[in-house]
Amino acid sequence: MIARVSLEIALRKEFDYVIPPGLVGQVDVGSRVQVPFGPRKVLGVVTAVAEESAHANLKPILKIIGAQTLVTPKVLKLARWMADYYCCAPEIALKSVLPEVVRQEESGWRERLFVRALPMPGDFPKLPKRQQEVWNIIEERREMPLQELVESAETTAATVRKLEDRGLIEISSQISERDPYAREEILPTQPIVLNASQATALKQIIRAMDVCSTRVPRVESGTVSKEDRGLKIEDGKGAAPAILHPPSSTFLLHGVTGSGKTEIYLQAIAHALEQGKGAIVLVPEISLTPQTVERFKARFSSGKLQTLVAVLHSHLSAGERHDEWHKIRQGRARIVIGARSAIFAPVEPLGLIIVDEEHEHTYKQEEAPRYHARDVAIVRGQMENAVVVLGSATPSLESFYNASKGKYTLLELPERVDDQKMPHVRVVDMRQAAVKEKGPPIFSRQLKDAISDRLERGEQTILFLNRRGYSTSLTCEKCGYVAECPNCSISLTYHRTGTKLLCHICGHLEQVPSVCPNEKCKNPAIRYSGTGTQKVEEVLAKLFPHARVKRMDADVMKRKDDYRRVLGDFRVGKIDILIGTQMIAKGLHFPNVTLVGIIYADLALHQPDFRAGERTFQLLTQVSGRAGRGDVEGEVFVQSFTPFHPAIQFARRHDFNGFYEQEMEFREQLKYPPVSRVALLTLKGRNEEKVKFSADHLKRELEKRLVTPKDSRYKDLIIAGPAPAPLLKAESFYRHQIMLRTTKMSALSRELSLMAQALALPEDVTLTIDIDPVNLG
Ligand code: ADP
Ligand code: ZN
């Protein structure tokens, strides 16, 4: 027997090895193996098993790693699709579907010494006092970790060993599972009676799950093209059918914050468990708070649907991640909740995938494989006949468009549960404030008054500014000097703590000059301009010296527990005003927060990105959603220099549909997603001339292969650029870009992969291909 193996060293090729007699029956598709490669031993994954090979003189597989196949055939197939669609080497795609710690050669289980009481054959001996005390604890627990015993009995291992010598106990090494949530106390919860719109939504999801259960999985069909049809966007000609047969198994759950989406997820998961299937719940890393996890654990911690809920995210220790992953692989945990890469969790059979906050950009991985977890979720759902639910208060245009075309089923929850009102949003025109106060203030009169009201009433306030640091730049008004990063084409940000200038791209640090560094100028009156969260904090302290203020951004939240601690303090009312960057924008429920202030709403609008309006709308809506989750109606102040911008006005009116209609006009006109799909090709190098030259060369190649041929399939292809990237220089590398737009991305990405491999580039220029990019920087 022969095994085909994909090696971890990226070679875009697979190699055949003989399965030695001792391993026959153990090596299967998905097994992790060690094989000889030249003089080295390398690791790889078996991608196929065959009777014979086209090659002679095959070497044998050396050994198998792990008792179980690590990559299930279904996940393997998903990795293949990913490599194809996102233009990356299959080895890289394969590598990303397993957590690093699971891929390692040694088993990652933690063994610990356990103490176990043994049955007593004869009379119980009389023990010295200390030993008797220790024995009392063991007798009650029967079995426990040695370390725990030593701690709770305040004794030493030597004393415990004496009991072992007497034949009373046995000390042995056992696997001890690490449970990252062991210290949380979780009270079981019961399903809540749904309101009418929740019930309608759940009914449709359940019906689709039942239909899926009776369908033959499409995973056997072999080709990928058919399966990713659901992802492709058609050119919009011809009306979408009113009723879909069979019903779509992807849902877009559009519900304002607090409308009860999570409760629907929980009840849909319960249905999956009843069907004997499991579920994956994706949430953005930042909303993966203990509160979120707890809600899922609490529902499935008891009763007949009891199961383990595994959690996968980057804050776990390697050991915890190892154990959580294996709980899933062994089928003990049937529910997985995690960030982006949890979409590859080996849940089998899989009944349901939930992508919460589906519009979040953190679902996109910014390094190879540059996959979008939401889109991978949809493909996986189709491959494994699982129902996919995308949830959001502010759906991405992509998903809403697919729903409007009938590709997804739209489910709407228009109201908050318990009739809580949406907050009242007031837009403050900062141009007028600037005139009155001779220069733009940080706080408008209106916002100041509102804060002071809340302080008097003992209610809480959240202030939002998506920019950390003190000032955005250091400028000389006399000669026009701006302190810039030597490695990146952006200005340095002034940080008050440590009085330093910091680059937010590469981390470059500089001391603040006391006079203008321009030799000919040396102006001592060099100034800081622009506002960051640090400055908001400082000004606020002057305005309200008695208020208890806390700031939350990447500069102060350094340790794993900081975030939790501050939120805990805020929850119990130890903080009056919380200032923060997007860290505080989502998922937090604080009933006593009745005011939200958005210091500078235009910030996201000025990004050189066709999604700038969409991002602003989403951000304003999400941040506003933090206000008024209790009995008192919330109030939001949006400070803006462009108060009539549609993104701001539609957010003010909580009008998603209005925003969608208006934004789609612009996307249609310029053929931007969701009307098309984008491939962003970036050339990078230290020598700008060479980068430019390579970009021109690439453009000619693209035209030659994709545009000139008479039979070209890419009739709708738009090639824009090459042009310098919005951030021309980052970490000493110059970047030039070409943007391609087409509706036929599956085909195009395959073609781009081939081209990239054949393209002759100078040695120090690299090309990256980003399919469906979310960051155009
Ligand atoms: P979302 O996920 O849309 O923000 P949640 O599911 O978190 O909304 O619901 C908000 C709050 O309302 C939660 O505390 C939840 O337990 C509660 N809730 C959800 N559905 C109902 C319902 N039908 N009746 C009463 N309370 C509900
Ligand atoms: Zn820099």
Side-chain angles (χ1 to χ4, degrees):
M1 292 292 277
I2 306 297
R4 191 149 299 149
V5 180
S6 165
L7 304 179
E8 272 190 6
I9 36 180
L11 294 164
R12 287 185 185 273
K13 243 183 102 179
E14 295 181 352
F15 298 86
D16 288 355
Y17 289 89
V18 174
I19 303 176
L23 293 179
V24 171
Q26 291 178 55
V27 172
D28 207 343
V29 172
S31 297
R32 295 258 309 149
V33 291
Q34 190 190 50
V35 294
F37 190 78
R40 292 198 288 159
K41 293 174 180 174
V42 299
L43 298 176
V45 174
V46 175
T47 58
V49 176
E51 296 278 333
E52 48 197 289
S53 165
H55 306 277
N57 299 327
L58 298 182
K59 291 183 187 154
I61 288 177
L62 298 174
K63 65 175 180 189
I64 296 200
I65 291 153
Q68 245 179 337
T69 57
L70 290 180
V71 186
T72 60
K74 285 174 180 165
V75 173
L76 184 66
K77 193 172 157 61
L78 190 63
R80 285 245 167 95
W81 172 83
M82 198 159 70
D84 253 9
Y85 183 74
Y86 291 106
C87 298
C88 80
E91 301 80 18
I92 294 184
L94 252 176
K95 233 172 153 170
S96 67
V97 303
L98 288 179
E100 179 70 35
V101 57
V102 172
R103 293 204 331 261
Q104 277 156 14
E105 198 185 329
E106 315 82 55
S107 125
W109 294 104
R110 180 180 58 171
E111 305 221 338
R112 285 210 297 177
L113 292 176
F114 273 74
V115 176
R116 193 161 60 90
L118 293 175
M120 265 314 289
D123 289 340
F124 195 81
K126 175 110 186 68
L127 297 175
K129 188 161 166 282
R130 284 303 294 150
Q131 289 182 31
Q132 182 65 45
E133 282 166 11
V134 174
W135 167 255
N136 290 344
I137 295 175
I138 302 170
E139 194 184 18
E140 195 181 282
R141 296 274 301 268
R142 305 311 296 177
E143 187 177 68
M144 68 192 295
L146 176 62
Q147 187 58 33
E148 207 182 309
L149 175 64
V150 166
E151 278 166 22
S152 62
E154 290 174 10
T155 181
T156 61
T159 310
V160 182
R161 293 271 176 208
K162 289 204 182 103
L163 293 171
E164 188 183 27
D165 294 342
R166 289 175 185 271
L168 292 171
I169 59 166
E170 181 189 70
I171 301 178
S172 62
S173 169
Q174 287 180 21
I175 285 176
S176 146
E177 265 175 16
R178 290 151 285 213
D179 179 356
Y181 294 84
R183 273 180 301 165
E184 315 279 330
E185 195 173 329
I186 296 175
L187 299 173
T189 62
Q190 296 299 321
I192 298 175
V193 179
L194 300 180
N195 64 29
S197 35
Q198 281 176 312
T200 311
L202 181 67
K203 209 162 91 192
Q204 294 198 62
I205 295 170
I206 285 182
R207 202 183 51 190
M209 290 170 78
D210 290 341
V211 171
C212 275
S213 264
T214 58
R215 219 187 274 158
V216 186
R218 263 189 278 175
V219 67
E220 316 303 342
S221 73
T223 58
V224 168
S225 55
K226 220 192 274 169
E227 286 151 11
D228 76 7
R229 185 174 298 159
L231 260 185
K232 268 192 263 169
I233 286 156
E234 278 130 32
D235 13 50
K237 283 185 208 101
I243 304 161
L244 282 176
H245 293 290
S248 152
S249 52
T250 302
F251 293 90
L252 176 61
L253 180 59
H254 176 207
V256 297
T257 30
S259 59
K261 296 187 291 295
T262 311
E263 186 59 36
I264 295 181
Y265 303 156
L266 288 165
Q267 300 195 20
I269 294 171
H271 189 70
L273 295 176
E274 277 163 4
Q275 291 181 317
K277 297 182 180 178
I280 296 176
V281 182
L282 296 185
V283 300
E285 181 84 43
I286 196 149
S287 11
L288 205 44
T289 57
Q291 295 164 40
T292 311
V293 174
E294 219 166 82
R295 279 184 80 180
F296 288 84
K297 291 206 170 215
R299 185 61 57 86
F300 302 104
S301 63
S302 65
K304 68 179 196 314
L305 295 176
Q306 183 178 8
T307 183
L308 290 180
V309 177
V311 181
L312 291 174
H313 63 84
S314 65
H315 281 338
L316 300 182
S317 69
E320 287 169 343
R321 209 170 311 153
H322 171 274
D323 293 3
E324 293 290 291
W325 194 89
H326 278 282
K327 283 177 210 166
I328 304 163
R329 181 66 186 97
Q330 294 164 358
R332 289 186 292 137
R334 326 234 15 210
I335 302 171
V336 181
I337 162 162
R340 187 169 61 218
S341 64
I343 191 55
F344 305 116
V347 177
E348 226 164 279
L350 181 63
L352 181 67
I353 306 175
I354 285 156
V355 185
D356 192 29
E357 312 269 11
E358 65 87 23
H359 64 279
E360 268 296 314
H361 292 140
T362 52
Y363 282 128
K364 173 82 172 170
Q365 174 149 300
E366 294 291 355
E367 60 196 57
R370 296 185 165 76
Y371 67 92
H372 197 302
R374 176 197 60 216
D375 297 340
V376 176
I378 289 162
V379 171
R380 183 164 183 189
Q382 288 176 348
M383 285 182 175
E384 300 185 30
N385 245 323
V387 165
V388 181
V389 179
L390 312 176
S392 176
T394 50
S396 63
L397 257 61
E398 281 80 357
S399 296
F400 205 78
Y401 182 77
N402 280 334
S404 74
K405 293 271 171 232
K407 224 167 270 160
Y408 306 164
T409 307
L410 183 64
L411 306 170
E412 305 228 45
L413 304 177
E415 266 141 42
R416 287 180 164 186
V417 291
D418 288 348
D419 292 330
Q420 284 173 13
K421 289 215 185 67
M422 295 302 283
H424 201 99
V425 181
R426 304 174 198 281
V427 179
V428 182
D429 187 344
M430 291 304 274
R431 296 170 304 186
Q432 289 179 17
V435 173
K436 277 189 209 134
E437 313 221 356
K438 300 191 188 73
I442 293 182
F443 294 100
S444 59
R445 180 84 258 152
Q446 295 94 313
L447 182 54
K448 258 188 289 196
D449 290 348
I451 295 173
S452 134
D453 268 5
R454 296 316 183 285
L455 288 171
E456 260 166 46
R457 294 209 296 262
E459 292 168 8
Q460 291 171 302
T461 298
I462 287 181
L463 295 176
F464 176 84
L465 177 64
N466 212 2
R467 187 157 62 188
R468 61 199 175 93
Y470 188 82
S471 294
T472 28
S473 59
L474 180 68
T475 45
C476 173
E477 285 187 340
K478 219 158 126 197
C479 74
Y481 166 89
V482 177
E484 278 187 3
C485 175
N487 313 317
C488 310
S489 42
I490 63 164
S491 57
L492 296 168
T493 303
Y494 173 56
H495 284 245
R496 199 72 184 261
T497 34
T499 50
K500 63 207 176 194
L501 293 169
L502 174 71
C503 171
H504 284 182
I505 301 281
C506 73
H508 170 85
L509 258 185
E510 254 176 43
Q511 282 308 312
V512 176
S514 51
V515 297
C516 175
N518 180 348
E519 281 299 317
K520 297 201 188 91
C521 176
K522 294 199 167 158
N523 174 14
I526 190 155
R527 287 170 39 104
Y528 306 108
S529 57
T531 303
T533 43
Q534 276 184 19
K535 189 157 161 187
V536 173
E537 185 182 23
E538 191 184 280
V539 171
L540 198 66
K542 284 196 190 120
L543 286 174
F544 304 105
H546 301 297
R548 295 163 301 169
V549 177
K550 199 90 194 169
R551 174 161 60 93
M552 225 169 160
D553 56 32
D555 296 317
V556 281
M557 299 290 119
K558 293 265 192 290
R559 266 170 320 176
K560 189 167 144 179
D561 270 353
D562 289 344
Y563 185 73
R564 263 177 89 165
R565 207 191 51 245
V566 174
L567 291 185
D569 285 353
F570 193 52
R571 179 173 304 280
V572 299
K574 285 190 198 161
I575 297 169
D576 299 314
I577 303 174
L578 187 64
I579 304 170
T581 52
Q582 63 199 14
M583 235 178 224
I584 61 167
K586 34 194 83 82
L588 310 173
H589 315 286
F590 299 108
N592 199 33
V593 173
T594 58
L595 174 66
V596 167
I598 297 167
I599 304 292
Y600 185 25
D602 310 327
L603 212 49
L605 277 180
H606 300 321
Q607 305 294 326
D609 189 325
F610 68 90
R611 290 194 182 91
E614 183 180 357
R615 277 184 200 176
T616 303
F617 178 85
Q618 287 167 346
L619 201 62
L620 294 187
T621 309
Q622 298 278 346
V623 179
S624 305
R626 302 303 119 231
R629 307 272 311 214
D631 301 330
V632 188
E633 188 180 344
E635 200 174 23
V636 180
F637 283 87
V638 177
Q639 303 192 136
S640 168
F641 289 90
T642 49
F644 298 106
H645 191 285
I648 292 177
Q649 284 299 323
F650 284 116
R652 178 177 75 76
R653 298 199 292 267
H654 309 287
D655 182 0
F656 176 83
N657 290 312
F659 174 73
Y660 175 80
E661 298 287 319
Q662 138 106 30
E663 181 71 14
M664 279 305 291
E665 265 176 43
F666 147 69
R667 305 280 178 101
E668 295 265 9
Q669 236 167 34
L670 297 174
K671 298 284 172 257
Y672 274 122
V675 184
S676 68
R677 293 196 156 222
V678 168
L680 188 64
L681 314 186
T682 304
L683 290 141
K684 232 168 84 168
R686 287 179 193 274
N687 179 328
E688 194 182 2
E689 275 311 302
K690 277 198 205 169
V691 172
K692 254 184 96 187
F693 173 84
S694 308
D696 291 334
H697 169 60
L698 176 57
K699 165 92 176 242
R700 282 191 299 273
E701 285 294 306
L702 288 165
E703 285 179 333
K704 203 161 79 196
R705 292 181 68 141
L706 306 173
V707 182
T708 322
K710 286 239 157 42
D711 58 347
S712 171
R713 310 149 74 178
Y714 308 102
K715 295 275 179 266
D716 64 353
L717 182 70
I718 298 171
I719 305 182
L727 184 67
L728 169 64
K729 191 177 168 204
E731 302 181 72
S732 305
F733 287 93
Y734 291 91
R735 294 123 36 94
H736 281 241
Q737 297 177 326
I738 297 175
M739 186 198 265
L740 307 182
R741 279 170 275 167
T742 178
T743 55
K744 304 194 172 53
M745 191 49 83
S746 295
L748 181 65
S749 66
R750 239 162 280 154
E751 196 119 14
L752 290 176
S753 268
L754 295 175
M755 265 186 78
Q757 285 165 63
L759 193 70
L761 287 177
E763 224 169 61
D764 45 358
V765 175
T766 55
L767 167 66
T768 55
I769 302 177
D770 192 350
I771 307 291
D772 303 331
V774 300
N775 181 354
L776 304 183

